[in-house]
Amino acid sequence: MLPPKRRRDPAPASDGEHGHRPADGSVLLRGISYSYGAAADPVFDALDLTLHDGEHLAVVGPSGVGKSTLADVLAGDVPPDRGHVLLGGTAAGRLTPRELARVRVLLPQDAYVFAGELRENLRWLRPCAGERDVVSAVRAVGAASLVERLGGLEATVDPAALSAGERQIIALVRAHLSRARLVILDEATRHLDAQAELHVEEAFRIRPGTVVTITHRPGPARRADRVLFLDGDRALVGTHRELLSTAPGYRALVGGHGTDLDSTD
């Protein structure tokens, strides 16, 4: 059994100057290994992965295989035991938390929303965003009806009064509005219906930058540029069609059945 995951609330961003400026949303993993302790087997071992700026990758695999741990490593939140993580050509370990907040956004399945004005919730990762940009992000993600129901951008948000899906929508608008060129969605659309999920996918496909989607649903895997399949023994990367042909484990999860993958990790 894996240890319980910590809550990952995003750090507020700053529009000030920073020392390190990754060039884009590209990701380079070289020889990445990670385990939960010295006596534990590696969650993944000698993992190599290259993502180009603008690429959309889906990550799938059985429950407990380490998908969310990989998200933490990709985001620079957890250093690997061995190997190197480069975000936009810059070593993740050289970036401060505030610099990381500008470089990437990591959204977990339990979205963080704080009590306060809705506008400030949406601008959490880009505090100086103008009203036009806020409204554009709201429309892009399909959140206009939610904003209207809550009473507009100036409305006060009570997180306890929101459904899990509504909190996810607010967090997704926040990520879309940010300037980060790398967006990591760790089951961040889990509580949305298929139509809303597709709308969100399209919004982030149009938005400049790289998207990594950790998912338990076959739809995002089929629509991604490439898929990373973790099965506990090895990591396989390819298109959806390639993995259907070469990876029986992947085919068993998504191959033509139309059923959800594991909903936990």
Side-chain angles (χ1 to χ4, degrees), residues 5-47:
K5 295 174 188 162
R6 68 193 182 284
R7 178 170 177 165
R8 297 171 295 179
D9 296 342
S14 167
D15 284 345
E17 294 297 319
H18 298 274
H20 301 111
R21 291 182 174 274
D24 52 32
S26 64
V27 177
L28 181 67
L29 305 184
R30 282 295 176 265
I32 296 298
S33 298
Y34 183 83
S35 61
Y36 293 114
D41 292 332
V43 179
F44 33 81
D45 193 22
L47 173 63

Side-chain angles (χ1 to χ4, degrees), residues 21 26 60 69 81-82 96 123 133 142 144 189 235 245 247:
R21 291 182 174 274
S26 64
V60 302
T69 301
D81 297 332
R82 292 186 301 278
T96 68
R123 299 198 306 181
D133 289 334
T189 59
S245 300

Side-chain angles (χ1 to χ4, degrees), residues 55-60 185-190 192-202 205 211-228 238-241 243 250 253-254 258-261:
E55 188 170 7
H56 289 222
L57 176 79
V59 180
V60 302
L185 306 177
D186 185 1
E187 301 281 10
T189 59
R190 178 185 179 187
L192 305 183
D193 62 33
Q195 183 175 1
E197 180 180 59
L198 181 59
H199 192 116
V200 167
E201 276 187 54
E202 291 301 317
R205 184 167 292 278
V211 179
V212 176
T213 301
I214 295 173
T215 182
H216 66 281
R217 292 175 172 173
R222 289 196 299 264
R223 295 186 290 266
D225 297 327
R226 287 190 298 159
V227 178
L228 171 62
T239 67
H240 171 69
R241 288 184 177 274
L243 291 180
Y250 179 78
L253 284 173
V254 302
T259 57
D260 281 358
L261 308 177

Side-chain angles (χ1 to χ4, degrees), residues 111-159:
Y112 172 68
V113 176
F114 58 86
E117 186 182 64
L118 176 59
R119 180 187 286 103
E120 297 312 307
N121 262 282
L122 300 179
R123 299 198 306 181
W124 180 246
L125 300 178
R126 187 179 162 192
C128 295
E131 196 81 355
R132 180 177 298 180
D133 289 334
V134 174
V135 171
S136 177
V138 166
R139 291 174 176 169
V141 175
S145 60
L146 174 60
V147 171
E148 182 178 0
R149 185 182 70 75
L150 293 176
L153 294 174
E154 67 281 357
T156 298
V157 174
D158 175 10

